[in-house]
Amino acid sequence: MGRNTIIGIIVAVLLLGGVAGAFAYVAVSSNEPAAQEPDPTPEPSASQVQPEPAEETADEDQDEDPL
């Protein structure tokens, strides 16, 4: 075998390997679903926000009987 024949065989093997690698990459990546960002949770509007009732500590102190 001459030098040119060996170089031709090496180039052909590298090209076939590159084509096979590209095909494998496309085949694997096509099966994966596209990455999607989760929907952001909407912040409640001012009309939806309900304040918690205030604690009535002053009334509790007044309800107690003095000793």
Side-chain angles (χ1 to χ4, degrees):
M1 266 191 213
R3 182 175 181 177
N4 289 339
T5 306
I6 294 173
I7 291 175
I9 292 172
I10 292 172
V11 169
V13 168
L14 290 175
L15 286 174
L16 289 174
V19 169
F23 178 75
Y25 175 76
V26 169
V28 169
S29 65
S30 66
N31 291 338
E32 297 176 5
Q36 296 178 354
E37 295 182 11
D39 294 335
T41 54
E43 295 183 14
S45 64
S47 62
Q48 292 175 337
V49 176
Q50 297 177 357
E52 295 182 13
E55 295 180 11
E56 299 179 9
T57 57
D59 292 341
E60 291 175 1
D61 292 340
Q62 293 174 0
D63 291 343
E64 294 179 7
D65 293 330
L67 295 175

